[in-house]
């Protein structure tokens, strides 16, 4: 058995299925570049047939990524396969990932197909996919609730038709580790042609066991893990990339395989995904949480100071915590700014976008003595097509005093026309949102408001996420500024801009 574990990242596809996490094309390209720097083997760039926007995103990623395989998801239908095939055409290495449900409940109630029809559809899809690439992955959706004999049959047929990776998903997060490992072992032992393909596992986290189940499958012979940064994903999320990678690396004695991941890029990847999607990382999250390497108790601190390994099984710098460094200051010039953005994989789309970002950097550098990479990421966040925006903040004045109701005066532009507005609220953020809403009249419902410090110290920029819902659509707006009331106004307007972008034409996701 190979000792190489393939890391398949689906942040841009399954991760994007988290409420409000939908990303613009430019944001997806930025994340894809970071995933390439992280050295993931396969980037699932999207579901090309879902909408023209998804097609464009997969294609843009296929054009810009050189070192990782770029993959598009496709149902087992002609339209999906051909759309995916076209989208991945520019890729240096392209994969089509086709899937069909195999559990009795999905086949009967959702697909309304019998098992023979399901096998035929899978085989036909794989044959068609071979017109575009030799790298074909086949998934049996809801494998966890499928009959083992049927899985053996359909996987055998898929291999005969030309699939090169066979993926076994726990679509509903129902399995437990021992059972999942045994299923993988059985499938590898019984499926004809099993030795010709890479076996893959794809686990959801509904019972909090996605990582444990994935690792159990690895012990049973899986050599590809499907996962997302920060465990982002539909419902309770997918298996978290950082936890799987560090478990395999730290416990090589148990797993006997290696990934190609540059682990020092884990924390920068986590931050970028959190910043772009507006999904904060919980402080006690393994590997990437702010407290993951913080020792609070005196006994632990004493032990770590005397000998790090008394309480630490990994080094913080090995997962990229040291990457948090001061990069630029107020005297830095435009070239240094451009260079640092390039180092971070950020290429402003036009000279004007670069100039605008540079002006915001200078303004920030006047107010904050140390500028970190995270600050630069925040400066350019939102400098995407959403920024061809309806709403733009022009100024904000806010007055609050203990015992008084705060008042906020906001000036913002909507499609070039300026609005001045003023409101009172329970707190300064409430007053600011009320003032904006008074004029914008979006009628959207605020579902989540969160504030995080981007770096350390009270000088840090506050990063605000506002999740809005309107007519069944959910979007996350993000804003960053050293003044958290300004950051809140930016986040609210960013969310309104996202609501104003047309929804996906075909939001039918797996
Ligand atoms: O969870 C799932 O079953 C999926 C498949 C499309 C692989 O995401
Ligand atoms: Zn999934």
């Amino acid at each position: 058995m190979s000792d190489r574990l393939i890391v398949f990242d689906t942040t841009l596809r399954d991760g994007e299925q988290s409420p409000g996490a939908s990303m613009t094309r430019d944001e997806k390209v930025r994340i894809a570049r970071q995933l390439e720097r992280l050295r993931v083997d396969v980037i699932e760039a999207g579901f090309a047939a879902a909408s023209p926007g998804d097609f464009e995103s997969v294609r843009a990623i296929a054009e810009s990524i050189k070192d990782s395989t770029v993959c598009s998801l496709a149902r087992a239908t002609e339209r999906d396969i051909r759309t995916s095939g076209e989208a991945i055409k520019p890729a240096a290495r392209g994969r089509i990932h086709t899937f069909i449900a195999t559990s009795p409940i999905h086949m009967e109630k959702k697909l309304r197909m019998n098992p023979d029809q399901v096998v035929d559809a899978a085989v036909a899809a794989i044959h068609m996919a071979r017109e575009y690439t030799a790298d074909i992955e086949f998934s049996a959706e809801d494998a966890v609730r499928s009959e083992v004999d049927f899985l053996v049959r359909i996987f055998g047929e898929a291999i005969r038709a030309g699939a090169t990776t066979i993926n076994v998903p726990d679509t509903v997060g129902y399995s437990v580790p021992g059972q999942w490992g045994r299923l993988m072992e059985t499938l590898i032992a019984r499926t004809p042609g099993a030795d010709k393909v890479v076996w893959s596992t794809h686990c959801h986290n509904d019972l909090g066991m996605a990582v444990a189940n994935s690792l159990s499958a690895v012990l049973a012979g899986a050599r590809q893990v499907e996962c997302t940064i920060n465990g982002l994903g539909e419902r309770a999320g997918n298996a978290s990339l950082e936890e799987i990678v560090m478990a395999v690396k730290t416990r090589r004695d148990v797993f006997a395989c290696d990934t190609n991941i540059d682990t020092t890029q884990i924390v920068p990847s986590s931050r970028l995904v959190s910043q772009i999607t507006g999904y904060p990382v919980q402080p006690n999250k393994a590997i990437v949480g702010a407290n993951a390497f913080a020792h609070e108790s005196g006994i632990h601190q004493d032990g770590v100071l005397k000998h790090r390994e008394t309480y630490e099984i990994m080094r913080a710098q090995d997962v990229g915590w040291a990457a948090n460094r001061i990069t630029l200051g107020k005297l830095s010039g435009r070239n240094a700014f451009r260079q640092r953005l390039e180092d971070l994989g950020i290429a402003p789309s036009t000279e004007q976008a670069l100039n605008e970002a540079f002006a915001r950097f200078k303004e920030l550098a006047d107010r904050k003595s140390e500028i970190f990479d995270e600050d630069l990421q925040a400066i350019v966040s939102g400098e995407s097509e959403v920024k061809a925006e309806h709403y733009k903040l022009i100024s904000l004045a806010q007055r609050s005093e203990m015992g008084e109701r705060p008042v906020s005066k906001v000036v913002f532009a909507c499609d070039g026309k300026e609005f001045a507005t003023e409101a009172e609220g329970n707190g300064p953020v409430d007053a600011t949102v009320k003032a904006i809403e008074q004029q914008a009249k979006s009628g959207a419902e605020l579902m989540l408001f969160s504030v995080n410090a981007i770096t350390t110290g009270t000088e840090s920029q506050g990063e605000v996420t506002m999740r809005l819902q309107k007519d069944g659509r959910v979007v996350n707006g993000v804003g960053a500024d050293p003044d958290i009331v300004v950051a809140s106004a930016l986040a609210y307007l960013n969310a309104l801009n996202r609501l104003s972008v047309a929804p996906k034409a075909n939001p039918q996701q797996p």
Side-chain angles (χ1 to χ4, degrees):
M1 194 187 299
S2 155
D3 59 2
R4 176 77 153 72
L5 182 62
I6 295 168
V7 176
F8 175 115
D9 180 280
T10 183
T11 306
L12 297 174
R13 200 277 298 170
D14 228 337
E16 203 203 14
Q17 290 173 217
S18 314
S22 80
M23 298 166 238
T24 66
R25 188 197 58 204
D26 291 357
E27 288 168 342
K28 287 184 180 178
V29 171
R30 272 177 70 200
I31 291 180
R33 291 213 180 105
Q34 178 57 34
L35 293 173
E36 187 179 39
R37 221 167 298 128
L38 180 63
R39 294 214 301 257
V40 306
D41 300 284
V42 186
I43 298 172
E44 188 161 56
F47 179 18
S51 72
D54 285 82
F55 176 87
E56 284 308 322
S57 298
V58 176
R59 206 172 165 95
I61 292 168
E63 275 161 5
S64 60
I65 297 300
K66 298 287 163 262
D67 299 334
S68 309
T69 295
V70 176
C71 170
S72 171
L73 183 70
R75 284 166 295 190
T77 65
E78 173 163 7
R79 180 177 166 274
D80 275 29
I81 298 286
R82 297 219 181 277
T83 313
S84 286
E86 291 303 322
I88 61 159
K89 251 185 193 160
R93 277 186 296 277
R95 172 180 294 190
I96 294 177
H97 173 192
T98 186
F99 74 98
I100 192 160
T102 51
S103 61
I105 182 173
H106 274 235
M107 289 193 288
E108 195 186 312
K109 307 280 182 211
K110 184 181 85 173
L111 298 176
R112 296 181 205 286
M113 286 164 86
N114 66 39
D116 290 343
Q117 290 170 319
V118 167
V119 173
D120 289 348
V123 167
I126 294 165
H127 281 146
M128 198 178 300
R130 286 177 63 180
E131 293 174 30
Y132 298 91
T133 173
D135 187 349
I136 297 158
E137 173 168 335
F138 172 70
S139 286
E141 190 190 12
D142 204 21
V144 68
R145 293 184 295 174
S146 303
E147 285 164 9
V148 175
D149 287 348
F150 185 57
L151 288 177
V152 169
R153 174 178 166 207
I154 198 164
F155 285 152
E157 292 296 334
I159 296 167
R160 242 159 47 93
T164 45
T165 299
I166 295 292
N167 183 40
V168 189
D170 179 2
T171 305
V172 289
Y174 180 68
S175 202
V176 295
Q179 182 188 20
W180 198 240
R182 278 193 301 278
L183 176 65
M184 185 58 75
E185 217 165 69
T186 306
L187 293 172
I188 295 176
R190 287 188 48 199
T191 304
D195 57 330
K196 296 195 194 74
V197 293
V198 173
W199 286 85
S200 168
T201 183
H202 174 114
C203 296
H204 281 266
N205 205 30
D206 298 67
L207 292 174
M209 285 186 274
V211 169
N213 287 337
S214 305
L215 292 172
S216 176
V218 171
L219 287 175
R223 281 297 174 264
Q224 174 176 286
V225 279
E226 302 201 350
C227 43
T228 57
I229 302 290
N230 299 337
L232 195 69
E234 180 110 24
R235 308 184 308 278
N238 287 58
S240 125
L241 178 146
E242 55 280 4
E243 293 177 21
I244 293 178
V245 166
M246 290 315 291
V248 166
K249 182 173 163 135
T250 309
R251 297 307 311 271
R252 201 186 184 291
D253 56 324
V254 174
F255 295 103
C257 56
D258 301 297
T259 71
N260 192 38
I261 294 293
D262 175 356
T263 60
T264 63
Q265 291 296 328
I266 284 179
V267 169
S269 306
S270 161
R271 291 219 168 125
L272 183 65
V273 168
S274 167
Q275 203 156 46
I276 286 180
T277 59
Y279 267 74
V281 175
Q282 75 192 58
N284 58 332
K285 166 88 172 63
I287 321 292
V288 293
N291 295 349
F293 292 86
H295 296 276
E296 190 63 23
S297 94
I299 295 174
H300 285 210
Q301 285 175 354
D302 181 54
V304 168
L305 286 174
K306 286 180 175 144
H307 188 76
R308 188 185 59 78
E309 284 165 17
T310 49
Y311 287 100
E312 272 188 11
I313 56 166
M314 298 168 277
R315 295 186 327 158
Q317 60 267 43
D318 288 349
V319 297
W321 280 103
N324 174 355
R325 59 192 181 97
I326 303 167
T327 51
L328 298 169
K330 74 193 261 186
L331 298 178
S332 305
R334 202 164 161 284
N335 281 343
F337 178 72
R338 185 206 291 267
Q339 184 56 52
R340 191 61 206 149
L341 290 188
E342 266 172 31
D343 294 346
L344 292 171
I346 301 165
S349 47
T350 58
E351 268 316 278
Q352 193 198 336
L354 176 72
N355 290 342
E356 279 176 19
F358 184 62
R360 290 174 58 189
F361 155 70
K362 280 290 182 184
E363 196 220 324
L364 181 65
D366 269 342
R367 297 154 71 200
K368 187 171 185 288
S369 54
E370 298 172 331
I371 305 285
F372 295 88
D373 286 346
E374 288 81 353
D375 291 313
L376 296 184
Q377 302 271 22
I379 283 173
V380 296
S381 266
E383 296 284 336
S384 58
E385 63 259 46
V386 165
K387 207 92 205 293
E389 57 199 6
H390 295 287
Y391 298 99
K392 199 175 175 109
L393 181 65
I394 306 230
S395 67
L396 191 156
Q398 191 275 315
R399 201 182 61 240
S400 44
E401 201 179 320
M402 215 168 140
E404 298 289 325
R405 272 176 78 74
V407 177
S408 208
K409 288 184 183 176
V410 183
V411 180
F412 68 91
C414 177
D415 292 332
K417 186 167 168 221
E418 281 192 17
F419 294 90
T421 170
E422 178 174 340
E424 278 188 7
N426 278 344
V429 173
D430 186 44
T432 302
V433 167
K434 283 192 169 125
I436 296 173
E437 194 52 33
Q438 216 161 258
Q439 287 292 341
K441 295 186 176 45
S442 76
E445 183 192 350
L446 181 65
M447 298 173 70
L448 175 138
F449 164 57
S450 83
V451 188
N452 274 288
I454 290 184
T455 51
T456 50
T458 50
E459 225 201 3
S460 165
Q461 291 196 83
E463 184 176 65
V464 172
T465 300
M466 297 257 188
R467 183 173 303 162
L468 298 187
Q469 173 173 307
K470 190 177 176 201
D471 301 333
R473 274 185 78 208
V474 179
V475 294
N476 284 337
V478 185
D481 195 273
D483 178 333
I484 58 166
V485 182
V486 173
S488 302
L490 290 169
Y492 195 77
L493 292 172
N494 183 246
L496 292 185
N497 280 324
R498 285 172 188 269
L499 274 179
S500 66
V501 172
K504 289 182 179 184
N506 175 9
Q508 196 185 0
Q509 299 278 18

